[in-house]
Amino acid sequence: QEQEQQKNNLQLIFQGLFSSDVSVELDSVTQLRRLLSLQNDIVKEIIHTNIISKLISMLQRDQYPDIQLQATWALTNIVSQNSSNNEVTSVLVFSGIVQSFVRLLSSPHMEIWNQVCWGLGNIAGDRIEFRDLVIAHGALHPIMRQFNKASSINITKNIAWVLSNLCRGKPHPNTEHLKTMLFVFSQLVFSNDSEVLTDACWGLCYISEGGQQRIQDVIDSFVVPRLIELLYHTDVNVQIPALRTLGNLATGDENQTQKLLEFDILSALKHLLFSRWRSIRKEVCWTISNFTAGITQQIQTVIASNIIPSIICCMNSGEFEIVKEATWVIRNITTRGNPEQICYLVSKNVIQVLSSLLNNSDVSLLGLCLEAIMHILRAGEIIQVSKNLDSNPHTDLFGTAGGIDRIESLQ
């Protein structure tokens, strides 16, 4: 009986949406918006009906901003609560919600503007085609206009949110659109609000995934020192995208990675190696491996930072993903470093650690270890010859650590 009553109430609300009485319309759309906030299953009942087209038509009612607000709010509830349901978002998009929402980005009513901005962010984040549609309908211009006013923190939060979704995914939006968004992120990254910082850093992360030119664009926006500073932020949700962005920048060319080293990124990365978050420790090791894949001077900078002992500890952590990324750091030094730098690793007991990792069953990790060991043994040959020793000192250490026996067991 209660379900029957709810169904009857819902029918009355639907009928009221089509009333010629504006006050009844407003009351009905407000009730529907409230129900959508509480009961997501209502979406199934209305998504393929004329209710959706009615709500979208209400967005055109500029003379009735209260109705516009409630209709916008209702549609935003549908979008945000069903962001993983492609069918729901598709119905809304093909019903014209994007065009109507973009038009309302010029609304003088900030409550409406915030709802529309949030809704567009959800739509853009659903799939690349929808993201491009939001951009194609001209969303960036009114968003930029509102950004320049910067009247409240809620508006700033929504701008950061929608723009982060508008530059997310591949293929990237065109260069001019990305540069517009990069300009905003380069300012938002100095906010004191954690939510704004999180979305701004994710935006920078997405842009920096586009190759060397994109990396240079981000570096040229003067955000690198601030991103490094944010690695010390107390909110892990800020740390992660800041770190990911810096990791992307570290994949650039020699000059680009050098810029990061000049800003003392290694001190911050060393600090994060002790994070309780596994994903952060893994990301730190990956970032450092990009530096040790550079020239010998950059490898020396890493060594001089005294971060290698902590990396070797990570190789002993037993956490496979971290072990593998840390091993990449060492492997890169052995393949790209000079004999003195390889000897430094040996002095930090890396031979013993690499030998123990030969017990691992993962083929890719074994490959990294064997490659590193090979280069370490070759460096030992150079020492043997230069010092006129009877044997290769690195081979002796490798045998003592049980490495030779382990290699024989692999064959």
Side-chain angles (χ1 to χ4, degrees), residues 141-389:
H141 182 68
I143 290 173
M144 286 297 297
R145 190 168 61 238
Q146 196 61 245
F147 172 71
N148 290 329
K149 295 179 184 177
S151 56
S152 76
I153 187 61
N154 284 335
I155 289 174
T156 303
K157 285 180 180 180
N158 278 329
I159 289 172
W161 153 254
V162 69
L163 291 184
S164 70
N165 276 339
L166 286 176
C167 62
R168 179 182 177 187
K170 295 180 180 178
H172 286 98
N174 70 44
T175 300
E176 288 309 308
H177 290 147
L178 279 181
K179 285 187 174 180
T180 297
M181 291 185 270
L182 177 56
F183 170 77
V184 176
F185 294 138
S186 68
Q187 296 183 60
L188 293 180
V189 80
F190 290 93
S191 170
N192 292 320
D193 183 87
S194 291
E195 290 180 40
V196 173
L197 286 173
T198 298
D199 287 326
C201 287
W202 277 120
L204 291 170
C205 175
Y206 301 142
I207 293 173
S208 63
E209 290 172 345
Q212 287 190 1
Q213 185 53 56
R214 297 280 184 264
I215 288 172
Q216 193 60 48
D217 290 340
V218 174
I219 291 173
D220 289 343
S221 69
F222 305 106
V223 296
V224 170
R226 175 58 172 165
L227 288 171
I228 293 172
E229 185 180 303
L230 291 176
L231 297 182
Y232 295 98
H233 201 280
T234 55
D235 189 339
V236 69
N237 293 314
V238 175
Q239 287 182 325
I240 289 173
L243 176 59
R244 183 76 59 84
T245 303
L246 290 164
N248 289 342
L249 300 182
T251 65
D253 63 28
E254 173 189 323
N255 293 325
Q256 291 167 334
T257 53
Q258 185 60 33
K259 283 287 184 185
L260 303 185
L261 292 172
E262 288 171 1
F263 286 117
D264 195 25
I265 187 176
L266 291 170
S267 294
L269 294 178
K270 187 177 179 182
H271 160 75
L272 284 182
L273 274 177
F274 298 96
S275 170
R276 66 189 181 94
W277 299 97
R278 181 184 304 178
S279 61
I280 286 182
R281 298 197 304 276
K282 175 193 171 187
E283 204 83 24
V284 169
C285 291
W286 170 67
T287 302
I288 297 169
S289 74
N290 287 317
F291 294 128
T292 58
I295 58 177
T296 54
Q297 293 95 315
Q298 293 173 335
I299 291 172
Q300 192 57 43
T301 301
V302 174
I303 290 173
S305 73
N306 200 32
I307 204 170
I308 294 300
S310 298
I311 291 293
I312 293 173
C313 284
C314 288
M315 293 171 68
N316 268 325
S317 69
E319 298 171 300
F320 176 74
E321 292 183 346
I322 295 172
V323 170
K324 191 171 181 180
E325 294 298 341
T327 304
W328 268 108
V329 176
I330 301 303
R331 176 266 180 195
N332 288 346
I333 296 176
T334 65
T335 57
R336 303 182 71 87
N338 59 38
E340 290 76 17
Q341 291 168 337
I342 294 174
C343 286
Y344 169 79
L345 295 181
V346 173
S347 74
K348 298 301 177 183
N349 299 320
V350 78
I351 288 179
Q352 291 84 339
V353 177
L354 286 169
S355 297
S356 68
L357 289 177
L358 293 177
N359 290 321
N360 195 281
S361 60
D362 183 80
V363 175
S364 59
L365 179 57
L366 284 173
L368 290 175
C369 293
L370 290 171
E371 191 175 2
I373 290 166
M374 178 182 69
H375 287 284
I376 290 171
L377 296 182
R378 284 179 181 171
E381 290 174 359
I382 295 172
I383 296 171
Q384 180 184 357
V385 172
S386 66
K387 294 186 177 182
N388 196 27
L389 301 176

